[in-house]
Amino acid sequence: MPMIEYTLTWLESAGVDEAFVFCCAHSHQVKEYLDKSGWAGKAGAGSMSVTAVESHDAISAGDALRVIYERGVIHGDFVLISGDTISNMSLKDALQEHMDRKKKDPLAVMTMILKHSKPSILTHQTRLGNDEIVMAIDPETKELLYYEDRADTSHLYVTIDKDILTNNSTLQLHNDMEDCYIDICSPEVLSLFTDNFDYQHLRRHFVKGLLVDDIMGYKLYTHELRSGYAARIDNFRSYDTVSKDVIQRWTYPMVPDVISNRDCSESRLHRQGIYKASDVTLSHSAQIGASSVVGSATSIGDHCKVLNSVIGEGCKIGKNVLINGSYVWDNVIIEDGCKVSNSLVCDGVHLKAGAIVEPGCVLSFNVEVGKNVVVPAHSKVSLLPQPSNEDSDEELEYADTNSGVTESTPFSSMRSNGDQATVPSEEDESGTSKIGTCGVVGYIWTSGDTGILEEWRQSIAPIPKEKLEELQHAVSEDDGSEDESNNPTLPDKDDSSDIAVEDDDPFSKFEKEVEETFQRALGGGVNRDNLILEINGLRLAYSLQHADCAGAVFYSVMKSALVAAQSTNDTLLKTTAEALGKWKDLLRNYTKTIDEEMEILLKFEEMCQETTKEFSPLFSEILPILYDKDVVSEDAIMRWAEEKEHADESDKVFVKQSEAFIQWLKEAEEEDDEEE
């Protein structure tokens, strides 16, 4: 399913009446899809009309907006998004804020949608593979005061113009916000791009340009998304992360069984989050694992395993094939005995018998991989030679990405699955490497200045355990040996300055980060073995205790059960039991003592009373499950009940609800004592 289908479906559901799709590169494919899918020319009550605007001269977002202005297709306020944005958010509140603000201040020209997403303390990247962004926001007005998407993470401080501090008595400095690249704009935005031809990128040029422009006085504001989902796909890691979020139904109703391809059999949701079209041919001995999708007219042979993967339409999968954590697009042929791990396989690719595709690979359209050939990790193979820096223009981008293109270099490290030598690479006239038919038919694209060593940063493949350990070691060393002379001097507490920088509760931030890390583990973005490493790294960064991890991890597990129940027909009690059974070993890692088990019970009480009240009537039924799974012990439950004896009645609600189970524990303990 093309990403633009999700984008247009969301806009229509959000009440948008008219959409303009600006297309430059591959415009004929975009227009053909809009016609074929029925979006183009769509009209009528409750329908959104979609018009394609085509230009072959535009190579940036700035050029695109200048074309839109010149053609006069937009006359009022508008929503500006990228065609690779996946969302289910309601636009109502953000639009209303923008319109109300404009009435009071005509210089308020844009409202940017943000959401909380703390970057990893180890990688300094968000779960979407983007570098952390540093922003300064007025906490009262939500005006954006500072924006830096290329912060130097080697330092523990940022440099902000003193005028920002002088003119704003209070500000919040954030590195825990994800830019959704959804903007609500006034018509002045179009004229500003027309007046400033040096504005090419929306963030690097337009946003930063307005923030330092003290002549025109235009202002940018923010709206934090507190419910709903929004993310842009602009690299391979974000493609993987968002795809898994869709499969896990965080984007509901923008999910495969609701948004179906009009030309193919409808995809249906089965147990364990498996989506499968009705006309799939599946061998009885084949295994489809949880969180997988199998498209229409696809056949899967004997003894195959498809785990945490997406298989497109019209694919032919042979016997004894293993596909794990990968994306196989349409009309792909995978012969017997092949293995594909955490990779992207595009339309028309042919993997011959025994071929192995190692983690992080991208095989472009119609590439062929020979018999028993091993494609090394993080290889990118295309039938087209990679353009050089001099020959390539940036395609139309809504905002900067962290990737780049460089000249292809000779590459001949393909090897045989049987440890037999393959035919060496053949160089074409341009000097790029083309693997012969005994290996892989296609050109090997290089990875920019950082090379293969940094491919893990934006790869579909999970971050290697060795890299996480290396990064965690670096963080630990920094915490213990930071030279104070390298840090800027902070003002004394009795400084006469009225400036105050607000900061949120550190534990709340920690808990949110743990939840985001756990979500990536749910979708396969973090290997289970590495999940504890990441959580421990967060604990070190926030200087918290082991017991703090217990509560935060428990919250994340229970929240996943709640989301599962809301998006399926299963009961909350059932999804909770399944979640606790699946993640009991993770929870046990943080419940080594009675105090840590107590933290679980206290956290559960807090959730039932405040954040997830849906669990409240089920407390007495879930408590025995926690006991049966050895997440909390009898001693912890009895101590919890004893400590509540002298508490206020309002604090005894869940103890009283669980009286029958607590009494059963007491009687069982007494029987054991008598037997002894």
Side-chain angles (χ1 to χ4, degrees), residues 54 90 107 188 258 278 313 422 431 446 526 601 658:
E54 186 177 6
S90 169
L107 296 177
E188 288 82 359
V258 177
S278 58
E313 299 167 0
T422 58
T446 57
V526 175
L601 295 171
S658 307

Side-chain angles (χ1 to χ4, degrees), residues 354-358 369-370 372-376 413-418 440:
I356 295 178
V357 181
E358 294 186 337
V369 178
N372 292 328
V373 168
V374 178
V375 184
S413 61
M414 296 292 174
R415 64 185 188 277
S416 169
N417 188 15
V440 176

Side-chain angles (χ1 to χ4, degrees), residues 614-635:
E614 294 89 343
F615 287 111
S616 183
L618 300 174
F619 189 99
S620 60
E621 296 179 75
I622 294 174
L623 184 60
I625 299 175
L626 292 171
Y627 174 74
D628 290 339
K629 302 297 183 185
D630 291 330
V631 176
V632 295
S633 65
E634 176 185 339
D635 290 341

Side-chain angles (χ1 to χ4, degrees), residues 187-423:
E188 288 82 359
V189 169
L190 296 176
S191 59
L192 281 169
F193 271 95
T194 302
D195 295 339
N196 297 273
F197 274 87
D198 56 336
Y199 284 175
Q200 297 296 330
H201 297 273
L202 279 165
R203 297 299 187 255
R204 192 197 312 168
H205 298 149
F206 177 73
V207 168
K208 292 183 181 180
L210 289 193
L211 289 176
V212 299
D213 184 356
D214 54 2
I215 298 176
M216 301 297 292
Y218 287 113
K219 299 175 183 177
L220 307 173
Y221 288 85
T222 62
H223 173 85
E224 184 178 351
L225 179 61
R226 297 187 180 276
S227 63
Y229 185 94
R232 186 195 175 203
I233 300 172
D234 62 352
N235 60 61
F236 291 120
R237 188 171 295 284
S238 60
Y239 175 84
D240 176 58
T241 300
V242 176
S243 296
K244 286 179 168 59
D245 287 345
V246 171
I247 294 170
Q248 295 282 343
R249 304 179 78 79
W250 294 96
T251 61
Y252 188 86
M254 309 304 156
V255 291
D257 56 317
V258 177
I259 303 178
S260 297
N261 192 321
R262 294 167 173 82
D263 298 329
C264 298
S265 297
E266 186 174 308
S267 181
R268 295 180 181 176
L269 175 64
H270 300 265
R271 289 181 59 81
Q272 296 185 310
I274 298 171
Y275 300 82
K276 192 172 61 175
S278 58
D279 59 351
V280 168
T281 303
L282 181 66
S283 168
H284 291 295
S285 59
Q287 176 187 344
I288 307 298
S291 301
S292 295
V293 180
V294 183
S296 175
T298 285
S299 62
I300 300 177
D302 297 339
H303 305 292
C304 288
K305 287 186 178 181
V306 178
L307 308 175
N308 198 30
S309 297
V310 176
I311 311 294
E313 299 167 0
C315 295
K316 293 180 173 58
I317 314 298
K319 301 176 182 178
N320 299 304
V321 172
L322 173 61
I323 302 173
N324 183 26
S326 297
Y327 300 87
V328 178
W329 289 4
D330 297 341
N331 303 311
V332 171
I333 299 174
I334 301 179
E335 296 183 6
D336 299 350
C338 292
K339 295 181 181 179
V340 183
S341 302
N342 300 105
S343 293
L344 175 62
V345 180
C346 297
D347 294 355
V349 168
H350 186 173
L351 304 183
K352 296 188 177 180
I356 295 178
V357 181
E358 294 186 337
C361 290
V362 178
L363 304 183
S364 188
F365 301 93
N366 302 314
V367 163
E368 291 185 16
V369 178
K371 186 176 181 180
N372 292 328
V373 168
V374 178
V375 184
H378 302 295
S379 298
K380 294 181 176 65
V381 187
S382 173
L383 291 183
L384 300 176
Q386 184 174 9
S388 66
N389 281 325
E390 291 77 11
D391 296 335
S392 63
D393 288 324
E394 292 184 13
E395 288 188 8
L396 176 64
E397 288 289 344
Y398 185 81
D400 289 340
T401 63
N402 300 317
S403 59
V405 292
T406 60
E407 294 184 9
S408 298
T409 56
F411 187 100
S412 57
S413 61
M414 296 292 174
R415 64 185 188 277
S416 169
N417 188 15
D419 290 329
Q420 299 173 358
T422 58
V423 174

